[in-house]
Amino acid sequence: MAARKVLRIGDPLLRKKSVEIEEDEVRTKEFKKLIRDMFDTMKHLNGVGLAAPQIGVLKKLVVVGVDENPRYPNEEQVREHILINPVITPLEKPKEGYWEGCLSVPGMRGFVERPSKIKLEWYDEKWTFHSEVIDGFKAIVYQHECDHLDGVLYVDRLKDIKMFGYTEEIDTEGKELD
Ligand code: ZN
């Protein structure tokens, strides 16, 4: 197990754009280790997703997945996925609102509205191309994680700065996400 250090808001690397991954790269030992480390890091911190820039690697790579996560008892399970070079196309106008959190903004939550339905295109670790229409909680998770690849954090998308604060102080009514 090799959980890596997660960068926190204020670190300039979190604001940089990530680069595309080449097909040859996914077969390397280093890449496989990177993916393992990302899952280890995410699980260690009970995250629902992690983007490579959060551990200081500026590549278009996201891992997601929760089986049973104590931090989101109310949400559907999100199967383990590796997203390489993901592209999101919103299919509906912003309307699904969640109290989002982020491993790079620890201890805080903020209310963000995002499109509730998206088209997600990506390559997996075997370099198979996928295209799927996704809605609900999963659609929000993928958008949050893919934002990291553009140097965007959820706090940039707060609907109202008054709807942002420490997790212990906020009544999120179960609509939570990190
Ligand atoms: Zn995040």
Side-chain angles (χ1 to χ4, degrees), residues 54 101-103 144-145 148:
Q54 290 183 276
C102 180
L103 298 176
H144 175 114
E145 296 309 330
H148 280 296

Side-chain angles (χ1 to χ4, degrees), residues 10 63 107 149 164:
V63 301
L149 306 179
F164 173 67

Side-chain angles (χ1 to χ4, degrees), residues 49-51 54 101-105 144-145 148 152-154 178:
L50 188 76
Q54 290 183 276
C102 180
L103 298 176
S104 295
V105 192
H144 175 114
E145 296 309 330
H148 280 296
V152 173
L153 298 173
Y154 82 85
D178 308 59

